[in-house]
Amino acid sequence: MVKVTLALFTLLGFLAQLAESACDPSLPCWPTKAEIDALENALDPTADRSGLLRTDPVKGGSPYPAGIPIYSQNDQALYGYEIDALKPLYYYDTELEYDCFAKSTIRNPEDREICFASVRNNGGQAPAFVAFPTTSQQVQAAVSFATEHNLCLSVLGTGHDFLDRHSNCEFGMLIRTSLLKKMTLSSDSNNSTVKLGSGTTFSEVQDFLAPSQLYVASGWSVTVGILGWSIGGGHGPFGPSAGLGVDNIKEFEIVTADGSLLVCSAESNSDLFWAVRGGGGSTWGVITSMTLLTHSLPENGATLFQFYAASDNYCDTDMFSTNLDTYMEILPTLDERWSGLTFFTVGPTADPTKCGLGYNIFSQYIFLGLEEEAKDVVHSMAEIGLANILTRKISSWNEDYVKMADPEYLCPTPLMIPSDTSVGGVPSVLVTREKSADLGQAIKNRFSECAAAAGVATDGLCGRYEIYHDITGNSKEPFDADDVSITTSFRNALYHVVTGGGTHGTMDKIYELLGDYCYQNECAMQISEASGGWKKRVFGEQYESLLEIKNKYDPEGLFWCRHCVGDETSFD
């Protein structure tokens, strides 16, 4: 019998799933070796599956074609396993007994194929089958196999999901869309679009579009996949000017639970088109391609600014007593040409005579215009003690930002699971313009509590606040709120704020002060019913409509992911 490490937060959901009729190796529905071999042949073993290898930047091309796990060999995807090419299918040897990624062996994971293929199941449940299709028809074959054998189905692209939502489907099938990478640029009299395979990362598509002097709205991280980011809402450096990820989706192709390949747009299967653009997760089917709007920088380009401040004595500074309030007054005045992020970090220092706490502040903004046009804002930052440490003209988003970025490594799941001092995941809250002053106060409150605790960081009080000022709350021309299925809070929010962890009590105070919703791709793993529960905080007023559409296209609940539409097994 396969031994799988169960994280605490999945146990109740796992038991609930066992009570249902999903197949496992002890049941007659479990596929035979001949049936597994037939699926492997249907996935075409002769197809090129080297698309996850890192391209050498010296030779040109996109440097980071996939998310890179920590401890990976030579910065390769899947821990560098089978670096020349992947197999079409990986599956359990049910005669063996092992843990997937034990903490003691994480630097040298056990030589077990399915662990590498799954990537993000370090400490969670692993699937029984992992398929790497290269065409929509191969996806259909994998879905039909799962349906025939009553296997729970989940989907994963590049592996950046902080919440590890795909790995709770034990004895199920994981379809990885990472090798669906075809890109096609099209233009008409109204706009230019690019059709992208669902395994494409932002570094790849920006590189593809660069010769045409175009870009797509994206996240800040260059190795993030376009799909999960886009359908979850999608915030980033072009949110206020070009819209969120959901606003830029013009069409997608999806394999649904009955094996059909549907084209979804405003004119075709419009209900599913609405639901997926904000409904997020791998719960609707397997999206094989997505068509996105493209954009151009202003004629004079854009400007990247970075600001910084630090002190080894948090308790003897004006930054957190006066200047933070001024900073929170500056941010709402920035128009849609500005999009950025600010990290406030407080933690223990070695010198107890200086309060025992220090801090640093890092702020980065993209301005769609010339440096000269932004001088008043830069001056205001200097007045409150933020030094302008970098100014860079951006003539090409690909050349002047993407190719200069370092890879963002995938964190093993055990670093993000809930504990006595953390709700797990990446706890966040969406904050409106009206709550800007409250946000400043929340930051001061939490760091003051940290100082009062003599810098003890294990209580969840110290750490980092991340303010992503990159949504549509400061857009000049409002985007259509009814056109997509994100919450109205996400549409109207000025900030997406990551709170850096904390207990349920800490997070409940933050929710009460700042707002009712979180960004579903960066949210707490545990959300108590006392604070509204995950359905309210992630999907808000849209959940029941989304569930109705989910049940229409997947009536048997074949597709599943944790805290996604249709998940009735996760209780927090």
Side-chain angles (χ1 to χ4, degrees), residues 341-356:
L341 52 85
T342 304
F343 295 167
F344 294 92
T345 306
V346 170
T349 60
D351 188 349
T353 66
K354 295 183 177 180
C355 173

Side-chain angles (χ1 to χ4, degrees), residues 303-351:
T303 309
L304 170 68
F305 294 101
Q306 291 180 350
F307 306 93
Y308 187 75
S311 171
D312 62 356
N313 192 355
Y314 163 83
C315 300
D316 184 25
T317 175
D318 289 335
M319 187 67 222
F320 284 93
S321 60
T322 304
N323 289 349
L324 181 57
D325 293 334
T326 304
Y327 184 72
M328 298 313 301
E329 292 172 0
I330 294 172
L331 295 190
T333 68
L334 304 182
D335 62 26
E336 74 281 355
R337 294 175 298 170
W338 290 90
S339 187
L341 52 85
T342 304
F343 295 167
F344 294 92
T345 306
V346 170
T349 60
D351 188 349

Side-chain angles (χ1 to χ4, degrees), residues 441-453:
Q441 189 59 49
I443 295 172
K444 288 195 287 186
N445 287 349
R446 186 165 177 193
F447 291 161
S448 294
E449 291 173 351
C450 172

Side-chain angles (χ1 to χ4, degrees), residues 428-481:
S428 71
V429 61
L430 297 170
V431 181
T432 62
R433 178 182 299 272
E434 292 73 23
K435 292 281 188 177
S436 188
D438 293 334
L439 174 56
Q441 189 59 49
I443 295 172
K444 288 195 287 186
N445 287 349
R446 186 165 177 193
F447 291 161
S448 294
E449 291 173 351
C450 172
V456 179
T458 56
D459 58 9
L461 299 174
C462 303
R464 186 161 81 179
Y465 259 83
E466 301 179 3
I467 301 177
Y468 292 90
H469 186 199
D470 58 0
I471 318 183
T472 50
N474 64 335
S475 299
K476 183 177 181 181
E477 296 182 6
F479 294 88
D480 189 347

